[in-house]
Amino acid sequence: MFEKSVYQLRRQKLKQQVGKGLILLLGNEESSMNYKDNLYHFRQDSSFLYFFGLDKPGLAGIIDIDNDREIVFGNELTLDEIVWMGPQPSLAEQAARAGITNVQPSSALISSLHATRTGKQDIHFLPPYRPENILKISTWLDIAPGGVREHSSVKLIRAVVAQRSIKSPEEIREIEQAVDTTAAMHLAAITGAKDGMTEAQLAGGLQGIAISGGGNLAFPTILTVNGQVLHNHYSNTIMREGQMVICDSGAENALHYAGDMTRTFPVGKKFTPLQKEMHDIVLASQEAAVKALKPGVLFRDVHFLASEILVEGLKAAGVMKGDPKDAVAAGAHTMVFQCGLGHMMGLDVHDMEDLGEQYVGYTDELKKGTEFGWKSLRLGRALEPGFVVTIEPGLYFIPELMDLRKSEKKYLDFINYDKLEAFRHFGGIRIEEDFLITETGSRLLGKPLAKSAADMEALRG
Ligand code: GLY
Ligand code: MN
C-alpha cells in the first residue's frame, strides 16, 4: 500500500468533486473456477484499490459526503479461514493503514444504505462489471439487474476518471516497476523461442516472470505465430523457422499497476526481407506517433498520423496507392490496421475501461467513431501531463477481411488487391511501448528494450 495520506487525499478530492450524497464503492469477490473452493486468482476492483488500498475479497466502502463519514464493510476472518489460510492482520488494522477508522461487518451495509434511501440521499455507484456486484446493487437498491449499469452515477464516473487519469509520481514509480518486469518477460520470449517449440511452451514461462516480479500477469498473454489475429492468446501451435512471433504481454506489480508491451521477432535467426520491410514500416509508424505525443494533442490525431505512416510504407511497397491522408480519411488503412493506436494504462491495462470508454477516452464534444477501425480506438481526447498511454501500431493481414473488402470493391483507389494477395499468409506485426505524457512531450516508461528488426535479430542470433 501507499502511505495512508495518499488514500485520504484521494477520497478528499473525490468528495469535493462529487459534492453531495453517498459514494458506494464495491470491492470484488472471490470467483470459483470449477467448484466453490477452487478459485481463480483474486483481483481487486481497481477503483476500490485506488481509494481504499485494501486488497482482499468481500469488502465495500462508503464515503458519505453529507455526513462526513467513511466506512469499510467486511468481515474479520473466521476460525475456519484462519485454519486454512493462516492468520492475517485484522480488517480494522488493514483499514487503518488507508486512514479508515470506521470498520463494520458486511451485514451492516444494508441498513446503512436503507437509512440513506429513506433519507433520500443520492447514492453514487460505478457501473459494476461482475455479476455478483450487479446482483448486490440490484438487491440493495431495488433495481432490476438489467438496469443497474444505467443507474450508475455519471458524476462519480467523471470524478473517478478525472483523478485516475493523472498519474502521481508514486504511481509512475509503480508503473515503471511493472514495465521493467514486462520487459524481462519480453526478453525471455525473444531469446527463448525455438523452431519446433509450441506457442504455449514459450508463453508459459512469462507468467512465472510476472509472478516473480511480485504481482502477476496484467492480462492474458498474447503470443502467437498467427499475429494477424489481434488477440490470439497462444495454443499448441508449433512455431517454425520462417514465421514471426508476436508477443503482447505484461505484468502488473504488487500494487497492481500494469505494464503492456509488444515485440515481433523471427522464430529463426533472421526476418525474411519482406518481414523486415514490414517491421520497419511499423517501427516508423510507432516512432512518429511517439514523437507527436505532447499535452494538448488529440490522441485521435496521433492515431491518424500513425495510420498515414503505415499507408506511406505500404505505398512504397506497392500494396497501397494514392495520397496517404486521403486513404486514411477514407478508412482504407483499416484493411491492415483494424484497431486503435493505444489506450490509457494504470491500475488496469486498459485503464478504467469498466467506467466507459466515452468518459475515459473521449469528451462531450469528441465522440468515439462507430465505423470499423475507429470504433476500436479507445482514446481520442487531448493528452494531458500525467496521462500514461500505450503506443502500439501494427500491420495485420487478415485473409477473411481481404476477401470481403475485395468482393465489396472497397478502397479500389487506395489498395492494389493483386499485390495484397502476396500477404495472405504473412501474419501480423505489432510494436508497443508505454509512455508518460510530460509537460513538454513524453517519456518512455521502464528501461528501453530492443525494438528494431536489427535489435531483434541480434537477440535471436
Ligand atoms: N495488450 C493487449 C491490449 O492492449 O489490448
Ligand atoms: Mn496494449
Side-chain angles (χ1 to χ4, degrees), residues 316-370:
V319 179
M320 291 190 76
K321 56 188 173 179
D323 178 61
K325 271 196 190 340
D326 293 345
V328 173
H333 65 293
T334 65
M335 173 64 89
V336 287
F337 184 38
Q338 302 83 7
C339 58
L341 177 66
H343 49 86
M344 294 259 212
M345 190 184 80
L347 278 168
D348 307 299
V349 62
H350 290 177
D351 211 22
M352 301 171 279
E353 198 158 288
D354 58 313
L355 304 183
E357 283 174 3
Q358 67 273 30
Y359 301 115
V360 179
Y362 290 85
T363 63
D364 289 344
E365 295 73 41
L366 184 72
K367 303 267 184 242
K368 192 171 165 195
T370 51

Side-chain angles (χ1 to χ4, degrees), residues 219 222 231 248-249 260-262 343 349-350 378 390 392 430 432:
F219 57 93
I222 297 161
H231 277 186
D248 178 347
S249 63
D260 181 10
M261 294 170 65
T262 307
H343 49 86
V349 62
H350 290 177
R378 296 183 160 90
T390 68
E392 49 177 309
R430 171 159 71 250
E432 176 180 27

Side-chain angles (χ1 to χ4, degrees), residues 326-438:
D326 293 345
V328 173
H333 65 293
T334 65
M335 173 64 89
V336 287
F337 184 38
Q338 302 83 7
C339 58
L341 177 66
H343 49 86
M344 294 259 212
M345 190 184 80
L347 278 168
D348 307 299
V349 62
H350 290 177
D351 211 22
M352 301 171 279
E353 198 158 288
D354 58 313
L355 304 183
E357 283 174 3
Q358 67 273 30
Y359 301 115
V360 179
Y362 290 85
T363 63
D364 289 344
E365 295 73 41
L366 184 72
K367 303 267 184 242
K368 192 171 165 195
T370 51
E371 315 83 55
F372 184 78
W374 293 105
K375 70 176 183 206
S376 305
L377 180 60
R378 296 183 160 90
L379 178 61
R381 69 177 160 126
L383 297 170
E384 295 177 35
F387 280 16
V388 167
V389 298
T390 68
I391 298 292
E392 49 177 309
L395 285 174
Y396 310 98
F397 296 92
I398 304 172
E400 294 79 2
L401 186 64
M402 287 159 49
D403 290 343
L404 179 69
R405 294 295 185 244
K406 190 175 177 188
S407 73
E408 293 169 337
K409 299 193 170 26
K410 252 188 137 165
Y411 311 132
L412 293 177
D413 292 340
F414 303 108
I415 292 174
N416 290 320
Y417 280 97
D418 51 337
K419 293 275 169 34
L420 187 62
E421 202 48 44
F423 289 82
R424 182 166 288 275
H425 303 291
F426 181 86
I429 296 173
R430 171 159 71 250
I431 302 173
E432 176 180 27
E433 292 175 309
D434 308 322
F435 295 87
L436 169 69
I437 305 303
T438 62

Side-chain angles (χ1 to χ4, degrees), residues 154-173:
V154 172
K155 191 151 202 186
L156 179 60
I157 293 172
R158 288 189 192 280
V160 171
V161 169
Q163 261 200 77
R164 284 184 54 191
S165 295
I166 309 296
K167 273 65 181 180
S168 63
E170 67 266 8
E171 289 186 286
I172 303 298
R173 278 195 291 277

